[in-house]
Amino acid sequence: MAWPAPRTLSGAEEDWRKMRTVVIGASSGLGRCIGIGLAKRGATVALLARRKTMLEDAAKEAGPGALAIECDVTDEASCRSAIANAADGLGGIDGLIYAPGIGPLSRLVDTDAATWRRVLDTNVMGAALATAAAIPHLSASAGKAIYLSSVAGQLTPPWPGLGAYATSKAALSTLIDAWRGEHPDIGFTRLVVGDCAGGEGDAMTQFTAGWNQELAATCYPVWMARGYMAGALMDVEDLVTVVDTTLHPAASTTMPMVVATARPAATQP
């Protein structure tokens, strides 16, 4: 079978490759990888997070034109100010990526109110506040919004020890559906991501930082025995490619859910 020759992109399509994209949670981990990776692929990016020094380093790595804007997703005024500054600096917003996600390892019976608030404030409320601030800009561009989720609680039952995290991701899923119902002109995507270590240094995922290692040693065999883990890690470059691909279909196309995980170790060559 002969494959068709690659099509030359039109001027409008070339402009679309330069999407004005806001990446929230871009100072470290997967958010940093995505922000820098999209910039390397031609997007104009605004990187948002709390940690200013790390954020500025990420913007330098992303290249000329990348913006570093402080943002505390748990604070409404901070979200509105950061999104407004990003829209001003980029000249509009075509894409929004919400990457923050914390998952303290704790049995539900041991999870206190402060921990619940921290998880829900970051994983759910932050997504709601940031999206509310970005809606006028995304509506103007018929843009896309992507929210990183997890196989835990999305493709599997909640993992023991990560009940609060799984609950927050279930709430995030409903939030995304609610946004889609009220704003069908915007493409809202839940991106379910499997195990991914991120990059090196500050780009390495911090998801397991601070975990109780004794509890982790108890939970890990249970997760494996129940088939919750693939036994392999997804390459972060593949994740960036998935995000980039999800951002770029025309406004007439939407991807409500995308799943990106590593192939199970036993099936890899």
Side-chain angles (χ1 to χ4, degrees):
M1 177 179 177
W3 294 98
R7 182 169 57 88
T8 301
L9 296 178
S10 68
E13 289 171 318
E14 287 287 3
D15 289 341
W16 188 245
R17 296 299 306 178
K18 300 174 182 177
M19 287 187 71
R20 302 163 298 180
T21 305
V22 175
V23 182
I24 302 176
S27 62
S28 65
L30 300 186
R32 184 186 182 107
C33 294
I34 290 169
I36 294 171
L38 292 177
K40 299 298 184 184
R41 287 163 169 76
T44 306
V45 298
L47 309 180
L48 277 57
R50 288 184 299 108
R51 294 172 290 187
K52 183 177 180 181
T53 299
M54 294 173 65
L55 196 61
E56 290 174 342
D57 289 343
K60 290 177 183 177
E61 190 173 347
L67 306 177
I69 301 173
E70 285 187 82
C71 179
D72 179 353
V73 298
T74 67
D75 182 270
E76 183 175 7
S78 178
C79 285
R80 291 194 175 278
S81 174
I83 292 294
N85 289 338
D88 287 344
L90 297 177
I93 298 174
D94 301 307
L96 174 73
I97 314 295
Y98 193 83
I102 58 173
L105 187 66
S106 174
R107 294 185 178 90
L108 289 175
V109 71
D110 299 321
T111 305
D112 59 20
T115 301
W116 274 109
R117 290 190 186 97
R118 187 163 60 91
V119 171
L120 294 174
D121 281 355
T122 301
N123 298 358
V124 185
M125 187 181 296
L129 296 175
T131 304
I135 283 293
H137 309 289
L138 292 171
S139 291
S141 64
K144 307 290 175 66
I146 301 174
Y147 306 80
L148 267 61
S149 189
S150 169
V151 298
Q154 295 293 302
L155 302 184
T156 71
W159 298 15
L162 290 174
Y165 176 71
T167 299
S168 73
K169 289 304 182 183
L172 177 65
S173 293
T174 301
L175 174 67
I176 296 167
D177 291 341
W179 277 118
R180 186 183 301 112
E182 294 189 5
H183 297 275
D185 55 317
I186 298 171
F188 291 94
T189 298
R190 176 168 66 256
L191 175 53
V192 180
V193 181
D195 295 332
C196 182
E200 299 179 353
D202 290 335
M204 182 180 296
T205 180
Q206 301 296 307
F207 187 76
T208 63
W211 277 13
N212 180 298
Q213 294 305 306
E214 183 176 345
L215 180 56
T218 300
C219 292
Y220 183 80
V222 176
W223 300 341
M224 291 297 295
R226 295 183 183 179
Y228 294 167
M229 303 182 72
L233 294 175
M234 181 181 182
D235 188 288
V236 73
E237 285 299 317
D238 292 343
L239 174 60
V240 175
T241 299
V242 169
V243 173
D244 187 46
T245 301
T246 304
L247 283 172
H248 281 100
S252 61
T253 302
T254 185
M255 299 182 185
M257 185 171 87
V258 174
V259 179
T261 67
R263 284 187 296 169
T267 69
Q268 295 192 20

